[in-house]
Amino acid sequence: MGYIGSAWKYVFKNFIFLFLFALIPSYFFALALDLQSLETIARNLLELNAEVSFVTVFNCFSFINGSRWPFALVCFACLAIFMPMILAFIEKHMRIGSRSLKGIFGRINYNFLSTFLMLIVAVAVYELWALLASGLVYVAVIAFGGAARTVVAIVVALGMCLLLSYIFSLFWLWLPCRQITGYSFADAMVFANQAISSKRRKLYLAVMLPYLAGVALLLLVVGVCSAFDVIVPVFVFIEIIFILLFLYFCALMFVAYFDAAGEERADLRKRY
């Protein structure tokens, strides 16, 4: 659990410097979600009823859904702009101990290409996963009946979330390795996997547990707000969840990289 604790500690200790980078992407992320489909899933889970359509399941998993996809594109564009800056800030802080924002905007030119390519790969992998996961869940829905339908659908969805976490954990250190060492994309991937090989389970748990907690919290918020027929609070809560997870996963990249590479973190040095 060391990576989880270290990443959250970094986020909350430096939250005032970090959250500004996540505000705009989080706003469009919340707009991109299909709240109606999420509400249907959340309500059915509370009622232990898994009778849903493929489209409803896919709209919950995928960001390219129905009429909300333009917001997803804007969210992607915002991430491509703000993520290079937040990664530059975290890298600078951990390498030399400086929390100054000076020079961060200039780093966007250096970090932009690698971050942009990583985002494209991540979105492509996620959307393929969303299509496969939706299909498997829907097969469970139409193949079983009664209580078994609900149990099998939940187990399948949970299993696919575990698989997604594992896939992303395989290249989680690729981006910080690329940006810190300057290696080529292929060499950075090889070096990152070699560095984390002995701590892969630790990294997997650090990716998987907060992700599952975020999904569960999202469904809980949508379900509760739906029960009380309120709109604004659910939007705000979704923004907050995204901000926290976005900052956590960005911090996790460098927390895990510095540990795996055996490099000392300057932000942890005691100042006398």
Side-chain angles (χ1 to χ4, degrees), residues 33-34 37 54-66 134:
L33 294 183
D34 188 334
S37 295
F54 171 81
V55 173
T56 298
V57 178
F58 182 72
N59 285 346
C60 286
F61 283 136
S62 173
F63 294 118
I64 306 175
N65 51 66
S134 302

Side-chain angles (χ1 to χ4, degrees), residues 6 70-71 92 181 223-224 253 266:
S6 296
F71 296 114
K92 178 182 178 182
T181 64
V224 171
M253 288 184 187

Side-chain angles (χ1 to χ4, degrees), residues 162-225:
L162 295 178
L163 175 61
L164 180 67
S165 300
Y166 176 74
I167 293 173
F168 276 117
S169 70
L170 293 179
F171 58 90
W172 201 259
L173 301 189
W174 172 78
L175 187 58
C177 179
R178 161 70 181 169
Q179 294 180 350
I180 290 177
T181 64
Y183 290 164
S184 67
F185 293 106
D187 290 342
M189 177 67 79
V190 172
F191 178 79
N193 279 280
Q194 289 176 345
I196 201 64
S197 60
S198 62
K199 302 178 181 180
R200 192 174 300 281
R201 181 175 179 273
K202 185 178 178 182
L203 178 61
Y204 171 65
L205 291 175
V207 173
M208 180 264 292
L209 292 178
Y211 167 63
L212 290 182
V215 171
L217 185 58
L218 175 63
L219 290 174
L220 178 62
V221 166
V222 171
V224 171
C225 290

